[in-house]
Each structure stands twice: as C-alpha cells, then as structure tokens.
Amino acid sequence: MSFPLLTATAALPAVGALATAAVPAARRTTAKWLALTVSLATFVLAAVIAVRFEPGGARYQLTESHAWIKDFGVRYELGVDGIAVALVALTALLIPFVILAGWHDADPMETGSRRWRPTQGFFALILAVEAMVILSFEATDVFVFYIFFEAMLIPMYFLIGGFGDRAHEHGEKAASTQRSYAAVKFLLYNLAGGLIMLAAVIGLYVQAGNFSLPEIVQARASGSLHMATSTERWLFLGFFFAFAVKAPLWPLHTWLPNAMGEATAPVAVLITAVVDKVGTFAMLRFCLQLFPEASKWATPVILVLALISIIYGALLAVGQRDIKRLVAYASISHFGFIILGIFAMTSQGQSGATLYMVNHGISTAALMLVAGFLISRRGSRLIADYGGVQKVAPVLAGTFLIGSLATLSLPGLAPFVSEFLVLVGTFTRHPAIGIIATLGIVLAALYTLVLYQRTMTGPVKAEVAEMPDLRVRELLVVAPLIALLIFLGVYPKPVADIVNPAVRQTMSDVHQTDPQPKVEAAK
Amino acid sequence: MENLIALLIAAPLLGAAVLLCGGRRLDAVGHWLGTLLAGLSFVLGVVLFTDMLGKAAGQRAVTQHLFSWIPVAGFQADVTFRLDQLSMTFVLLITGVGSLIHLYSVGYMEHDERRRRFFGYLNLFLAAMLLLVLADNYLLLYVGWEGVGLASYLLIGFWQHKPSAATAAKKAFLVNRVGDMGLSIAIMLMFTTFGTFAFVPVLHSADSAGEGKLTAIGLMLLLAACGKSAQVPLQSWLGDAMEGPTPVSALIHAATMVTAGVYLIVRSGAIFNAAPDAQLVVTVVGAVTLLFGAIVGCAKDDIKKALAGSTMSQIGYMVLAAGLGPIGYIFAIMHLVTHGFFKAGLFLGAGSVMHGMNDEVDMRRYGGLRTYMPVTFVTFGLGYLAIIGFPGLSGFFSKDKIIEAAFAKGGAEGWILGGAALLGAAITAYYMTRVMIMTFFGEKRWQPDEQGNEPHPHESPGVMTIPMIVLAVGSVFAGGFFSIGDRFVHWLEPVTGHAEGNSPVSAMTVTVATLVLLVVGAGIAYAQYGRRPVLAVAPRGSLLTRAARRDLLQDDFNHVVLVRGGEHLTRSLVYVDHTLVDGVVNGTAASVGGLSGRLRRLQNGFARSYAVSMFGGAAVLVALTLLMRAV
C-alpha cells in the first residue's frame, strides 16, 4: 500500500492542532512556532500532491479507500481531481499567512496581565479548520464530506466568537455582544443549511444505496441508477441550499458581513478565502455531478441570483462605513462571479470559476490582512477614522493599494484572468447576463478606490500621524501574496493546466458542450 | 531582430520595479536610472526601425511569441508581440517623447522628495503603453490599456496629500473603467463570433461576420476609445487630470496615453470598414468632441486646463478622421504624431512657466513673460503656430488633410463634418492666441501669494529647455517631412489601407478657408486680449462662457444623476439589506425553528449562547442519526 498522502495532508494539521493545544499555558510563543511549523509542513505536503498529480491522468488520483460504517456503506474514500488539488494547495498556502498575520491576535490583553487569553486555543483552532477543510476537498464519499463540512463549523464558531479586534469604538462589552451575535448567526445559518443537506444526503443514500461519489456518478451515467425528475430536483435543492449558505449566495449572505466584521482579520480571511470556498467547490463537485439534469433545471434561477449577488454585493460595499464589512460585501460580489461561472455551463466559465476561487483567496487575503494591520494600529474599523496614511506609512499604503487593485481585477494581476474567463464563459451562452455582470468591474473600482482614497490619501489625520509602517513580520505576510498575485496574473498556465481536465470531465457529466464561434476565423 | 521587441517593454518595466521597490538608497540616482532606461528603450526602438526600413513594405510586420498566457479549452490568449508600421510609429513616439519628458522631469521634480517614485511611475507608464501598442491580440492589449490607466491614476494622484488630486485620480480611473467595460464586451463578442481575439485572424475574417455583429463590436470599441481618449460622453476626467505634475500632463494626457483610443480604432479598421453605422457614430463623437473641447478651452483661465480642452479637441479631430475609414486612418495617425510633438511641447512650456512662477497656473496672473523666459517663449510660440495650423508647420499639414477627408465623406454628412472641423480650426486659433497673449504679452500681472512671496520669473535650466527645443523642432518640421512625397501615407498604407476621397471642395479651397478662419479666430482673440488689458478677475461672462468654464455642465450632470443618485441607491440598499433581507431570512427561519428570537436572546452572553446552540445542534444530529439507524 502506498503512502496515504491525502490523509497525511489532513492529519498533519489535525495532530498539530492537538499538539498546539497541549502546549503549557506559559509557553505561548512555543505554541505559535509549533502551529506555524505544522502549517508550513502541511503546505509542503500539499505541494507534493500538486506535483504528483498528473493532469492528463485518471479523474481521481492518489485515492484511498477503507470501509468505515459498513451498515450504511460509508467508506473513508479520498481522491483528488484538478479542482480539488488547486483548492487544497490554496488552503495549505494561506494558513501559514493567517497564522503569521494573527501572531499577536490572541496575546493577553495587557502586557503583564494574568487575564486568560487562550493563545494556544487560537492557533489550534486554525489548524483544526485547516484539517477539516482539506478533508472536505479530498473526500469522494458524500457522507465523509458531509461530516467535515459540518464539523468545521465548531472551530470556526469559537474563532469568530472568542477572538475579536483589540479595540472597538463602542467599548469591549459592546464588542463582545456583537461578536457573539455574529458567531451564533454564523453557526445557525450554516447549521440550518447543513441540516437540510443532511436530509438530502439521506435521501441520496435511499436512492443509491451507497455514498460513493464516483460510483453514483458512474451508475447514473450508465443508466443503472434512475432517479425520478422530482426526486433529483429535491435532492439537488437540499445540497445546493447548504452550499449557497456557505458560499454565500444572495439572499442567504447576511451572516458574512457580521462574521467578517467582528472576527479578527486573519479569521475573516479564514472564513472568506478558505471555508467559504468549500461551498462553491461542492457546487461544482456534488451538485453538478450527482444531479446534472436538476442542475440544468435550476440554472436560470441560480444565474439570476448570482447576478444579483454581483451587483448587490458591490453596491453594498460602496455604502459601507466599516473597512472589514466593505471587504465582506466585496466578497459576496466575488462569490456571485464564481457561482455565475459554475452555472454558465461552459469550459471558460468553470475553469474561470475554479481559478477565481484560488485568486480570490489570495487577493482577499492580501487586502484583508493589510486592512487588519491598519486597524490594529488605529484601533478602529471605521473608514472615516483614517486619512493620509500614505504619507506616514507608504509601504502599508502601497500594499493596500495592490490588494485593492487585485480586488478590482486589474489586468496583470491574477483575479483578472479568472474574472474575464467567467465573464466570457457566461457571455457565450447568456450574453445579457454577461453584459450586466460586466457592470461589476465598474462598481469594484468604485468601492476599492473610494476606500483607498478615504483612508490613505488627503491630509494626515492627527490620530494616524504616529502610525508605524509595516513591520518585518507583516511584510513577510504581504510580500509573498503580492508576488503570487503578479505571478498568477502573468502566468496562470500551471494552475489552468491542472484544472482544465477536471472541468472537461464535469462538462461531460452535465452533458454540455461549449457554444462554437459563428465564423471560421482565418489563420 | 524581433527578439528585441520584448526588451523594449522590459527595460522600463525593470526600471519601475527597481525604483518602486528599491527604497531610499536609490533616491540619489533613481531619476537618472529611470531616464536611462527610457532612453535605452528609445535606442532599441530606433534599431528596430532601421531594421524595418531595410525590408520591403509588405514584409515589415514581425512577431515575437513569448508564452501561452491563458489556455482554457477553446479560449487561447498568448503573450505575443506584433511590430508593424503602425506599432513602430507609436513605439518611436512613446519612447522618444517619453525619454525627453523623463529628462525634463529631472529638473522639474528636482525639489520633490518623492522624485524616485515619480520616475518609477513614469517607467511603469512607458512599459504599459508599449505593451498596449505591441500586443498582437485584444486581451493583451487590454493589459496595457488598463496598465496605462493605473499609471495615469498613480501620476494624477501623485500629490496625494491634496484631496483634489486624489479625487481627480479616482475619477479618471472610474470613467476609464466605464470605457473598459466596452473593451471587455468587444473582446467577448469577438470570441463568440470568431473564436479568437488575436488581431490577424479577427481582422482578416471580419468581412464574413455580418454587419450587425461588427457594428456591435465597433460601438463597444468606440466606448473604450471614448474613455481612454476623453471623448464625449466620457470626457469629464481629462480636465481634472491636470492635478498631476505637468510632465505627466505632457506625456500621458497629451502626447501618448489619451491617443490610445485612436490607435484602437485605426488598428480595428477592418471591423469599422464593414460597419458603416459604427463609423458614422465615431465621426459624430469626434466632431462633437472637437467642438466641445475647443469651447471649453476658450473659457479656462488655468493654463493647463485650457491646454487640456485643446487636447480633447485635437483628439476629436483624430477620432473624426479615424471614423472616416481608409481615407482618414493615416491622417488620424499623422495628426496624432504631430500633435504629440506640439502638445507635449506646449505642456512642457506651461510647466516651465509654472516652474518660474511659484506654480501659479492662472493666466490672469501672468503677462509679459516673453522677456523673462525667452527660450520658453520661442518654443511655446512655435508649438502655438503649429497647433493653429500656421502654413508650413506640422499642424498645418495634418489638420488640413483631416478637414479635406471630412468633406470627402460626401453628402450632407461630409458637409456637416467638414464644417465642424473648419469651425474647430477657427476656435483653435482663438483659444491658443488667447493663451499666448495672456501668458507672454501685455503687462505683468503677478502678485505675491498668501505667504507674501512674489514670483521671480526666470528661465528654466537646460535639462528642461533642451526637451522643449527638441519638441519645438518636431513641431515645426515633422508635418512637412511626413508630407513630402506622401511619405507617411506610403509608410502606413500596408497596415491600414488607404483610399483617396472625392471631395466636393478642392484642397485649395479647404486650405484657403482654413487660413481665413485662422486669421479670424486669432484676430478676435487679439482684439479681446491684446488690445485691451487683461482683467485680474475674470468677468462674469455670457451664459455659454460660464457653462464652458464648468466644462459645459458635464460635472454638474454627473453629480446630480450619478453621484447623488448613486448615494441614495447605496444608502437605501444598506437599509434594505439590514432590515429586509436579513429580516426576511431570519424571519423565515424563525417561523420554522424560532431562529430569530433565539438569535436575539443569545446575544446576551457568549458562553451561554454557545452552550445552548451547540446543545441544540448536537441534539438534532443525534436525533437524526438515531432516525437513520431505525430506517
């Protein structure tokens, strides 16, 4: 038996989480370094997965399969296609930056104070989330996927509710109240989605007799597993609802601004750049493959909801006064693009959507983490409390600008590639929707540049006059992310090459072919 | 030899990276490094140019394939450069004028503590602009297109501590984004129609696509061009862009970037040739803008804003010419090049005046400067003569050809477009004469500023005057040089095609009419500003004057409709999201499971809320598991 690489990639952060939690309370720094080391080692394993994966080879590779709950045909089945490889790599890539950026987020409140702040817990929870997210990308058994999809809510809940920003404009007590509201809202929304999905998972089992994704897809394709149209549609809706809450899709999005606003910046990145990606990933893997006919049936409504998300999220971002909530609404707009790309049912749309998940993860991390550095300096999330930062902290302002430019999908940076692919992939099948979605690029420029203008330019506000520029640790977080944004903007081919074959498979699962050009172009 | 193309871009790109990431260590040499790399790019351009001249006219286009950029199923975007006569013309203009302006900036920005960064941005601009004109497909062109927009944003807002500069920069980027939507949609249309967006296959098979599709593509390209080239209705950003340092106004907002829209239309000639409706709209946009810009230029007292109005107007001429099809393409580009010389020269002259006048921009505070700044006066004066179309100078040749071509369109359209172009020539003579007189002639009108510093006008240092002299030479001779034996026409014809039009009025009539109108326009300006003293405070003026001062109310319209309307929209949406959407979703859940009430109650305490909700969740899970066992 070969080395279980996929299990190891998830087990390493899981064990790391336990080990970090077990570090004695006084050895706070040890716990941090341990967590960082584990996350880096996980990244190495993820890189090995990406290298060993053969883009032209079998659909699911590096597979592992063990019997688990025999009574229900639940098998511990793992395997990755190109889409999963890209997202496992993204997750493993971002966690070290999340840890490094949150280095002091769980320190004791005052130096010398004995007040308990669970530093070890903070980093252990981050690693626990990483382990579960990676497993849900890797699972090819629907039940195994479901378990981790739900279980990751628990550490996320603690991360949102337990660790807020250091300072708050309405005082610590108000902050604590808002934080627990956000955490509970996050939990209840996602739990509600998860419960509906559970019903659908059980329904699927009743129909198929097992939980194995490849087997069910195979059985459906060969005709040996027939589903009544209405059954398929109900099951599809059950799955889709859970993923649409997680993604999140309008109108199920309202938990996200609360959660991202109240959580510390690194945790906000964990939510939007990593955890939410499981939602869009699962649409692509489970909804489309298991229920191709129902997916086509639901497409018009989903496209319209995605379009609303794009425009609505962007308009709300324009109207925000809070930096972190602004980024949250921008993310809602971007998730609209991802879902649009998935359900456009074209190769460009789906490859674009997958690249979008990766690129959005990196660009939001860059913008949000710099925003977090900014907020920690001034102790306020309100845009109006800043002004002229560029003059006193030019490097911070410069990196914030690059993060903003990535968010507005400037050509040359990674998000442009994926956004354009999504738009063109939508346009070839639904020109009107493609054109309206293009409005999003104007609105994105509006909310990012207004944010930059209000915080970074103009006369220096007295409260920011003493603000220090980025420290070495902070620069170590931002610089690699920016380098990646540039690299993947100029040379996205390596990622595209891994993703394309998986998209081709998915397209054939849903019996779709790309629209062909009307004119045979000269060479 | 074609392997040198990438180096053209790489040199300034390297400069930008080094200067922007290099830190304070490079402060002492950064400006020279930036200038050197711009110059290197120019030298490479000249080498490629001489190589190109050695080939037969039909074999001059060369390509350099670097790598596959975005490969997804049928969608294939490559990083490939294409150097033909059209892009060669731009390469020489961009790197030539660009190098001169780098040199000028060494002096102009001498006292700015962020000079290194300024040169980094200038280098970034050169790299992006070269990418724009060297790309062999529309998507790669888009990268350069927005790249120059970014450089423009950074440079307009270079003095970020001034709120007006930061606002102007943002506005420029946003208005351009509206245009970029057009470019995006045009590329998507090309992809669905042809399955590709590379120049050669798209342009070669354009004829077989059907007029409707081509009209749509053409109009979207025009929208993009309107944004970048400040054409009506997306012109409002250019005047504000004058917040940037003057060398930026000269290079980006006069000589090169703002002409990218003209490049786009001429490059896409094959599409427009087969879409006459789109062409008609292009000519109308050009004609309207050339009058719009000229009228605005007449009313401004700020020397840079007067020149900005003029730039808009001159690009209007180019767009008009580009809309005329093969009878106009080459003259659009020829005017673009001559305009690059004289307008860059005029802006550098304005910068030189400001440099000697404590950054004063109000022409009502100038006067009589010719004796204090003789070199600036002479070079600016030659630029002035060139732009108004004084016989024998550059503008005379290129503008005359455009007016002729406009008449040659034929029919009522020809008369209207030709008439507009002629009228524009008269207004040009008027506003430029006004600028000339208010700045260099008459009594001195300057006063001490708020701190009590009286300006001491003086000539600028050699590092600034040399570029002005070189540009003045170009302003005088370029047009004539291009026209002898129709050199420029023969040079570009293999790329753009060329047709002679049948003008209902003879070339001689056009020339004479232009000259008469020139004299009339200049005469009126002389009567108003030369024979009478210039008032220190502008008179109230007619309704049109007041409107023109406010950029013909475009900003007021934008403010009321877009800004205020947008604010109301976003504010009400924030309210809707908070109460309605959140409320309905929570309420729906409440009616099912009491979610909302629980949410509200659970705010009270962190530990309790956790305990209750986790217990609730776990209980449900256990119940369901038991249920499953029972099944």
Side-chain angles (χ1 to χ4, degrees):
Chain A
M1 201 185 101
S2 61
F3 179 72
L5 188 55
L6 296 186
T7 300
T9 311
L12 183 61
V15 173
L18 293 175
T20 307
V23 173
R27 309 286 299 275
R28 199 175 294 112
T29 315
T30 315
K32 293 178 183 177
W33 282 104
L34 178 63
L36 183 62
T37 314
V38 169
S39 68
L40 287 170
T42 309
F43 175 64
V44 171
L45 287 181
V48 173
I49 294 180
V51 171
R52 290 200 32 201
F53 182 81
E54 291 165 23
R59 178 168 199 171
Y60 295 107
Q61 298 183 24
L62 305 167
T63 51
E64 298 168 27
S65 180
H66 305 281
W68 189 12
I69 310 174
K70 288 216 175 79
D71 291 353
F72 297 108
V74 176
R75 295 183 66 83
Y76 176 78
E77 264 189 4
L78 304 183
V80 284
D81 61 358
I83 300 170
V85 168
L87 289 168
V88 168
L90 170 74
T91 306
L93 171 84
L94 287 179
I95 299 296
F97 295 117
V98 167
I99 290 176
L100 201 55
W103 202 248
H104 296 299
D105 282 3
D107 283 354
M109 295 302 258
E110 297 93 31
T111 34
S113 143
R114 309 220 84 195
R115 202 179 139 193
W116 184 70
R117 281 265 302 203
T119 310
Q120 279 81 342
F122 182 73
F123 294 99
L125 288 169
I126 292 174
L127 289 178
V129 171
E130 178 178 26
M132 294 183 209
V133 169
I134 288 178
L135 270 172
S136 35
F137 288 138
E138 291 173 348
T140 52
D141 182 283
V142 178
F143 195 81
V144 174
F145 168 81
Y146 173 76
I147 289 175
F148 292 109
F149 180 78
E150 284 297 278
M152 74 178 80
L153 298 178
I154 299 166
M156 277 317 301
Y157 171 83
F158 284 111
L159 281 171
I160 297 168
F163 306 86
D165 282 327
R166 194 57 56 88
H168 195 281
E169 51 271 22
H170 301 303
E172 184 52 35
K173 186 160 164 44
S176 157
T177 312
Q178 285 187 20
R179 210 152 55 221
S180 46
Y181 175 78
V184 173
K185 193 170 175 182
F186 163 82
L187 190 68
L188 291 187
Y189 266 69
N190 283 284
L191 216 50
L195 286 177
I196 293 173
M197 182 183 164
L198 179 61
V201 170
I202 295 167
L204 181 71
Y205 176 72
V206 171
Q207 290 279 319
N210 68 60
F211 288 107
S212 168
L213 174 73
E215 278 180 38
I216 299 174
V217 170
Q218 175 64 32
R220 297 217 60 195
S222 67
S224 64
L225 170 59
H226 178 75
M227 269 188 216
T229 308
S230 63
T231 314
E232 185 185 336
R233 287 177 183 176
W234 278 112
L235 294 180
F236 168 85
L237 286 177
F239 276 77
F240 184 78
F241 185 77
F243 304 149
V245 170
K246 184 85 92 190
L249 180 66
W250 189 91
L252 304 170
H253 64 277
T254 56
W255 64 269
L256 187 70
N258 285 96
M260 281 179 72
E262 301 307 323
T264 62
V267 173
V269 169
L270 201 58
I271 298 171
T272 188
V274 177
V275 170
D276 286 354
K277 296 297 182 312
V278 183
T280 44
F281 163 81
M283 287 179 194
L284 201 47
R285 175 174 271 189
F286 295 102
C287 287
L288 293 196
Q289 294 186 25
L290 289 171
F291 316 111
E293 293 308 315
S295 298
K296 272 185 271 179
W297 162 75
T299 292
V301 175
I302 295 173
L303 287 179
V304 170
L305 290 179
L307 194 58
I308 294 176
S309 282
I310 293 171
I311 304 297
Y312 185 91
L315 283 172
L316 271 146
V318 175
Q320 295 305 308
R321 292 180 300 163
D322 174 321
I323 300 174
K324 284 158 86 181
R325 288 178 66 93
L326 188 153
V327 179
Y329 278 105
S331 282
I332 290 167
S333 180
H334 289 142
F335 278 111
F337 274 108
I338 297 175
I339 296 171
L340 193 67
I342 293 173
F343 283 89
M345 304 282 183
T346 56
S347 308
Q348 294 84 32
Q350 292 182 352
S351 283
T354 309
L355 289 176
Y356 210 124
M357 292 185 223
V358 174
N359 295 337
H360 172 257
I362 302 169
S363 69
T364 305
L367 181 63
M368 191 63 166
L369 293 177
V370 180
F373 300 148
L374 180 72
I375 290 167
S376 70
R377 281 163 166 69
R378 167 77 175 79
S380 168
R381 295 172 357 213
L382 293 180
I383 296 168
D385 284 346
Y386 296 87
V389 173
Q390 191 274 334
K391 190 100 180 155
V392 288
V395 179
L396 190 154
T399 53
F400 192 73
L401 180 63
I402 297 174
S404 303
L405 294 172
T407 303
L408 64 79
S409 297
L410 187 85
L413 298 176
F416 169 73
V417 174
S418 38
E419 192 161 296
F420 197 81
L421 281 172
V422 165
L423 285 172
V424 88
T426 307
F427 186 85
T428 52
R429 223 184 265 284
H430 311 281
I433 292 180
I435 288 173
I436 299 172
T438 310
L439 274 176
I441 72 169
V442 179
L443 294 172
L446 183 61
Y447 62 71
T448 51
L449 294 186
V450 168
L451 174 65
Y452 182 82
Q453 185 190 352
R454 293 200 179 143
T455 51
M456 300 295 166
T457 70
V460 181
K461 279 234 165 104
E463 294 86 350
V464 304
E466 301 297 317
M467 190 175 274
D469 212 334
L470 285 190
R471 299 180 179 90
V472 175
R473 171 180 62 85
E474 295 167 329
L475 211 54
L476 276 177
V477 171
V478 183
L481 291 174
I482 288 176
L484 260 174
L485 286 171
I486 296 172
F487 178 77
L488 291 179
V490 176
Y491 197 58
K493 190 167 178 290
V495 187
D497 284 345
I498 288 183
V499 167
N500 286 336
V503 166
R504 205 175 308 134
Q505 290 273 8
T506 311
M507 286 284 289
S508 93
D509 287 338
V510 284
H511 316 297
Q512 296 281 354
T513 48
D514 289 325
Q516 289 306 304
K518 311 204 169 35
V519 175
E520 185 67 35
K523 283 292 152 215
Chain B
M1 190 56 84
E2 58 265 25
N3 293 338
L4 288 181
I5 302 175
L7 281 183
L8 272 174
I9 301 172
L13 192 61
L14 175 76
V18 169
L19 291 174
L20 293 176
C21 303
R24 300 243 154 80
R25 279 155 295 178
L26 291 173
D27 276 355
V29 294
H31 47 286
W32 288 116
L33 179 69
T35 310
L36 192 73
L37 286 166
L40 175 65
S41 198
F42 176 65
V43 171
L44 285 168
V46 171
V47 169
L48 285 161
F49 177 60
T50 45
D51 181 60
M52 185 179 273
L53 284 179
K55 293 180 190 166
Q59 267 88 54
R60 282 176 173 168
V62 289
T63 57
Q64 180 186 10
H65 174 79
L66 279 194
F67 55 87
S68 166
W69 178 30
I70 312 176
V72 171
F75 185 96
Q76 181 67 44
D78 290 341
V79 176
T80 302
F81 303 123
R82 177 180 177 79
L83 184 67
D84 57 13
Q85 290 91 325
L86 181 59
S87 34
M88 191 74 243
T89 308
F90 274 87
V91 165
L92 291 177
L93 176 73
I94 295 160
T95 57
V97 176
S99 300
L100 288 173
I101 287 173
H102 273 72
L103 186 65
Y104 177 93
S105 305
V106 170
Y108 191 85
M109 300 298 284
E110 192 179 352
H111 304 295
D112 197 296
E113 53 177 353
R114 289 158 73 236
R115 179 164 66 165
R116 171 179 54 86
R117 186 187 286 236
F118 180 81
F119 276 83
Y121 293 161
L122 277 189
N123 271 205
L124 177 68
F125 167 75
L126 281 191
M129 188 74 203
L130 288 168
L131 178 62
L132 196 166
V133 298
L134 286 170
D136 102 315
N137 66 69
Y138 284 95
L139 200 66
L140 191 61
L141 176 147
Y142 193 179
V143 177
W145 188 265
E146 282 231 343
V148 293
L150 171 66
S152 162
Y153 169 80
L154 294 168
L155 285 164
I156 295 170
F158 186 72
W159 290 314
Q160 294 192 333
H161 53 275
K162 282 163 65 187
S164 55
T167 306
K170 181 192 67 189
K171 180 176 175 183
F173 197 96
L174 278 175
V175 176
N176 268 291
R177 268 261 152 157
V178 176
D180 295 346
M181 262 187 76
L183 188 53
S184 292
I185 296 172
I187 297 173
M188 294 192 266
L189 274 165
M190 287 176 200
F191 180 70
T192 53
T193 312
F194 304 103
T196 175
F197 35 78
F199 289 152
V200 173
V202 167
L203 299 174
H204 279 209
S205 36
D207 285 340
S208 42
E211 197 181 320
K213 274 262 159 38
L214 294 175
T215 305
I217 296 175
L219 290 176
M220 288 299 115
L221 290 174
L222 174 64
L223 180 64
C226 283
K228 197 58 80 197
S229 293
Q231 299 293 293
V232 174
L234 297 179
Q235 85 293 356
S236 68
W237 62 273
L238 187 62
D240 294 347
M242 297 299 123
E243 287 286 343
T246 306
V248 172
S249 314
L251 177 59
I252 301 183
H253 304 119
T256 55
M257 184 193 82
V258 283
T259 59
V262 181
Y263 170 77
L264 185 68
I265 296 173
V266 173
R267 176 59 85 190
S268 314
I271 293 172
F272 285 95
N273 291 346
D277 290 342
Q279 278 187 317
L280 182 64
V281 182
V282 175
T283 54
V284 169
V285 165
V288 168
T289 310
L290 84 85
L291 292 174
F292 188 110
I295 292 169
V296 169
C298 294
K300 295 286 184 184
D301 288 333
D302 178 326
I303 185 169
K304 286 182 70 182
K305 294 207 168 172
L307 290 177
S310 160
T311 302
M312 201 187 285
S313 169
Q314 296 300 313
I315 298 174
Y317 275 103
M318 301 171 208
V319 170
L320 166 62
L324 297 171
I327 53 172
Y329 291 139
I330 292 178
F331 301 124
I333 300 297
M334 184 160 130
H335 193 54
L336 191 156
V337 175
T338 58
H339 175 259
F341 284 117
F342 56 69
K343 186 54 67 63
L346 288 169
F347 264 111
L348 293 190
S352 174
V353 168
M354 288 161 59
H355 198 66
M357 293 288 290
N358 292 354
D359 290 327
E360 178 63 72
V361 289
D362 186 352
M363 292 187 290
R364 293 185 185 275
R365 301 281 178 86
Y366 293 168
L369 288 173
R370 69 182 182 286
T371 51
Y372 297 89
M373 310 178 175
V375 180
T376 305
F377 168 63
V378 172
T379 54
F380 194 94
L382 291 172
Y384 157 74
L385 292 175
I387 192 175
I388 63 171
F390 192 82
L393 273 69
S394 284
F396 168 76
F397 293 100
S398 50
K399 197 188 289 178
D400 228 34
K401 289 289 188 187
I402 293 178
I403 299 173
E404 270 177 48
F407 279 112
K409 187 169 170 67
E413 289 164 19
W415 284 103
I416 294 171
L417 296 172
L422 267 180
L423 181 61
I427 308 178
T428 306
Y430 171 81
Y431 68 72
M432 283 311 301
T433 307
R434 175 176 174 269
V435 169
M436 197 66 200
I437 293 174
M438 285 176 88
T439 306
F440 292 104
F441 292 91
E443 296 295 309
K444 62 172 197 164
R445 295 182 298 275
W446 56 85
Q447 288 152 7
D449 61 15
E450 291 98 43
Q451 283 92 42
N453 300 323
E454 178 140 0
H456 297 287
H458 55 270
E459 189 53 89
S460 298
V463 73
M464 289 169 67
T465 51
I466 289 168
M468 288 155 60
I469 294 167
V470 175
L471 289 169
V473 170
S475 310
V476 173
F477 297 110
F481 178 78
F482 291 157
S483 299
I484 297 170
D486 284 337
R487 271 194 191 134
F488 205 74
V489 172
H490 296 313
W491 163 249
L492 276 185
E493 201 178 353
V495 183
T496 60
H498 184 61
E500 293 292 337
N502 289 319
S503 179
V505 283
S506 70
M508 186 51 91
T509 319
V510 168
T511 307
V512 171
T514 314
L515 290 178
V516 169
L517 284 165
L518 187 164
V519 173
V520 170
I524 296 174
Y526 177 70
Q528 285 185 349
Y529 295 91
R531 311 251 331 238
R532 282 183 263 158
V534 176
L535 301 173
V537 179
R540 191 156 177 272
S542 68
L543 207 60
L544 178 65
T545 312
R546 275 179 282 151
R549 262 183 218 139
R550 298 180 66 88
D551 301 309
L552 296 178
L553 308 183
Q554 159 94 19
D555 279 333
D556 304 77
F557 174 82
N558 285 353
H559 187 77
V560 172
V561 177
L562 297 175
V563 179
R564 286 243 196 90
E567 276 171 3
H568 283 299
L569 177 67
T570 53
R571 238 179 265 151
S572 30
L573 274 182
V574 169
Y575 179 77
V576 166
D577 193 59
H578 191 67
T579 53
L580 209 67
V581 180
D582 204 18
V584 167
V585 176
N586 289 349
T588 315
S591 59
V592 180
L595 176 78
S596 176
R598 215 170 286 165
L599 257 178
R600 218 166 295 125
R601 251 177 294 132
L602 290 180
Q603 289 179 51
N604 310 337
F606 171 56
R608 199 153 32 111
S609 71
Y610 154 68
V612 173
S613 57
M614 284 319 286
F615 179 73
V620 175
L621 281 175
V622 170
L624 277 163
T625 318
L626 288 175
L627 196 74
M628 268 173 55
R629 285 218 169 257
V631 173

